[in-house]
Amino acid sequence: PIPVGLPHPEQENLFFANGYFVECNDVMAHMLGFGRGGEVCGRKIEHFILPTMPDNRVLVRKFIASGYHLKEADVHRTGSDGSEKYFLLNLIGIVDNSALVELWGTQRDVTEQRLAEIRIKESEKKYRSIFEGSQDAIFVCSTGGKILDVNHAAVDLFGFPSAADVLAMHTMDALFAKPAQMEEYRKRLSQDGSIRDFEFELKRRNG
């Protein structure tokens, strides 16, 4: 038991030091890298919610501070095969005689979803690095001509102080030196869905 009147840091340390599994079903056991629930019973919580990982420490602090309730908290573990695992954890603490005596919990494996999110972020970071590092001016626009993004080379090319100033123009219309070329640009984009080797004149901010 963990006396609930203890300072939170002491409760946190006792959670890791004294907590252990009493019951566990086979589904949970599989998530933890075991074959059956009986293989998990008796094992300490700190073997699965590693106290050496800062995020897990934060998780336990939230559990204690919330009055021993957690709903869909993110948990990150390293599996028995060394792979990264991600779960959503629900915990309810049972308090008796001013002491935390039991925990009931469920968890859902969201590893595939989290890994997909990580891959997307890494891809976005790589794209942004290429986008900003390019020496060529790059514009990202909607089919209606609205400017959605520009890189540093484009900002410098047109003599604007910052990307925000370019985006403030809203459309590319003001950058075309000849209105007829702007219309041709939009026509080709509408018909073909892309533009290649289209020569046109643009003007800098100072005209």
Side-chain angles (χ1 to χ4, degrees):
I2 301 175
V4 297
L6 290 176
H8 286 189
E10 291 185 35
Q11 292 188 49
E12 178 186 332
N13 291 332
L14 288 173
F15 177 94
F16 287 112
N18 297 344
Y20 64 93
F21 282 87
V22 176
E23 294 183 50
C24 178
N25 67 5
D26 292 345
V27 176
M28 175 72 84
H30 293 158
M31 291 184 186
L32 298 174
F34 293 87
R36 299 184 63 82
E39 298 175 56
V40 179
C41 294
R43 294 179 181 269
K44 299 184 72 172
I45 289 177
E46 67 177 358
H47 293 157
F48 306 102
I49 304 179
L50 302 178
T52 54
M53 298 183 70
D55 287 349
N56 290 339
R57 286 272 180 186
V58 171
L59 177 77
V60 174
R61 288 170 195 156
K62 287 182 178 179
F63 171 68
I64 295 170
S66 68
Y68 312 106
H69 289 81
L70 274 183
K71 184 176 181 180
E72 295 195 340
D74 285 300
V75 177
H76 175 208
R77 299 193 192 101
T78 301
S80 56
D81 59 355
S83 61
E84 299 299 307
K85 302 288 185 181
Y86 297 85
F87 303 92
L88 286 181
L89 177 67
N90 295 287
L91 276 181
I92 297 177
I94 307 300
V95 176
D96 187 33
N97 291 325
S98 300
L100 179 66
V101 295
E102 290 183 2
L103 299 177
W104 287 89
T106 64
Q107 72 175 12
R108 178 159 52 94
D109 191 338
V110 292
T111 300
E112 290 188 10
Q113 177 184 338
R114 289 292 183 268
L115 292 179
E117 291 171 355
I118 291 171
R119 286 192 292 268
I120 290 172
K121 288 181 180 179
E122 290 175 346
S123 178
E124 289 175 345
K125 184 177 180 181
K126 183 178 180 180
Y127 159 77
R128 178 56 58 177
S129 176
I130 295 172
F131 182 77
E132 293 296 355
S134 175
Q135 297 301 307
D136 294 322
I138 301 176
F139 284 83
V140 179
C141 300
S142 70
T143 54
K146 181 180 180 180
I147 301 174
L148 304 176
D149 203 359
V150 292
N151 67 350
H152 291 310
V155 173
D156 293 340
L157 176 66
F158 292 104
F160 284 86
S162 68
D165 292 288
V166 181
L167 298 179
M169 293 194 309
H170 302 298
T171 71
M172 288 188 64
D173 294 7
L175 296 177
F176 278 88
K178 299 178 179 179
Q181 291 180 341
M182 179 191 69
E183 294 300 327
E184 180 65 18
Y185 163 84
R186 287 186 171 177
K187 180 180 178 181
R188 289 196 187 187
L189 186 61
S190 176
Q191 290 178 343
D192 304 331
S194 63
I195 295 177
R196 186 180 182 87
D197 297 330
F198 175 60
E199 186 174 327
F200 54 95
E201 288 182 53
L202 295 176
K203 57 185 178 181
R204 289 172 59 83
R205 185 189 182 206
N206 59 11

